[in-house]
Structure formats: C-alpha cells, structure tokens
Amino acid sequence: MTYHANFPDEVVNDLPEDIGTGVYYGWATVDNGPVHKMVMSIGWNPYFKNSKKSMETHILHAFGTDFYGSQLRICIIGYVRPEMDFWTLDDLITTIKNDIDTANRQLDTAEMKAFKDHAFFQSEIIDNKIVNGNTYYIN
C-alpha cells in the first residue's frame, strides 16, 4: 500500500531547473519517524490533464492514519522514467506498479540503502527549520 503526499506550490516552483519531469525514487520520513522507500512523480500528470506542475510522493509503507499537516523529508536517489500520458487508467496503474517494483529493486541495493541512514533524516528541527536542509509541511 502507498500513501501520497503532495508538496505545496512554493516547493514545486523552487525545484532546481535541472530536475526534469518524470518518476524518481528515494527515501522519505514523516515527522521524524522511520525512513521508508518512496516513489515520486514530478510533472503535470497528463492523464489527469493537470494544469499545474505537481510533486507527489508515494511512500511505500502502510501508515495507520493520514498525515496531513505532517513534516515530510525526502531524499531523491534515482530516476525511473520520463513523464508519460496513458490511453487508459489500467495502463497508468500497470505503469505505477512497475515504477514501484523498479524503486523497490533499486532501493534494496547496498549502495542505495546507505542513504536511508543519512544524517539528513536525523537532522534537528529548531523553530520549524531543519538545521541540515529544508523543511516543508504537507498540505
């Protein structure tokens, strides 16, 4: 099961220009909890005809509740594929499942697992600011 979190517009608008649209994978934590695998889509989601760019994180963990208003930290490690349009919802769902399988395989490698324990995820928060990085709250 995956849980979704959309970043606020100001985060999406401040992405570096060299981060293109597409699907990425990496690690994520909610409210300084355990670090979990994640898959992230950055783009306009053409199948749904979105008019503005979004950044949606799919955390590969079953949480007991939603996490609106929580703090989300992510570390993008790798790239899966470019943004695509789909003829059917079934095609989209199949591709998302393949993206998750790709992310799981890549994140299970020793090289990628090392990022799970990075100091970024243990950074201290002072006055809603992370001492080591940026903090954003989920809308």
Side-chain angles (χ1 to χ4, degrees):
M1 174 172 253
T2 62
Y3 281 79
H4 312 295
N6 290 321
F7 280 88
D9 291 341
E10 60 267 18
V11 175
V12 178
N13 295 337
D14 286 343
L15 286 172
E17 288 184 24
D18 59 344
I19 295 181
T21 60
V23 177
Y24 296 84
Y25 61 86
W27 299 101
T29 185
V30 177
D31 290 333
N32 294 319
V35 179
H36 302 287
K37 295 175 181 178
M38 69 88 180
V39 178
M40 172 180 281
S41 171
I42 299 174
W44 286 269
N45 301 319
Y47 180 80
F48 295 105
K49 313 286 188 253
N50 291 359
S51 60
K52 69 181 175 177
K53 191 175 184 180
S54 67
M55 190 169 138
E56 184 177 56
T57 303
H58 306 272
I59 300 174
L60 306 179
H61 176 77
F63 290 89
T65 61
D66 68 43
F67 42 79
Y68 286 99
S70 297
Q71 178 197 42
L72 175 65
R73 290 190 205 191
I74 62 150
C75 178
I76 297 172
I77 305 296
Y79 182 75
V80 177
R81 64 172 174 82
E83 183 174 48
M84 298 168 52
D85 197 358
F86 299 92
W87 288 104
T88 69
L89 184 58
D90 286 340
D91 291 342
L92 171 61
I93 291 168
T94 297
T95 302
I96 289 171
K97 288 178 182 178
N98 290 337
D99 295 342
I100 291 169
D101 288 345
T102 298
N104 271 318
R105 277 193 315 278
Q106 292 299 319
L107 291 167
D108 281 340
T109 66
E111 179 183 24
M112 298 300 171
K113 281 183 179 179
F115 289 99
K116 183 178 180 182
D117 297 322
H118 192 276
F120 171 74
F121 292 114
Q122 282 77 43
S123 301
E124 185 178 357
I125 299 175
I126 300 172
D127 295 327
N128 288 332
K129 293 192 172 117
I130 295 176
V131 173
N132 173 8
N134 294 315
T135 184
Y136 298 102
Y137 292 88
I138 301 166
N139 288 342

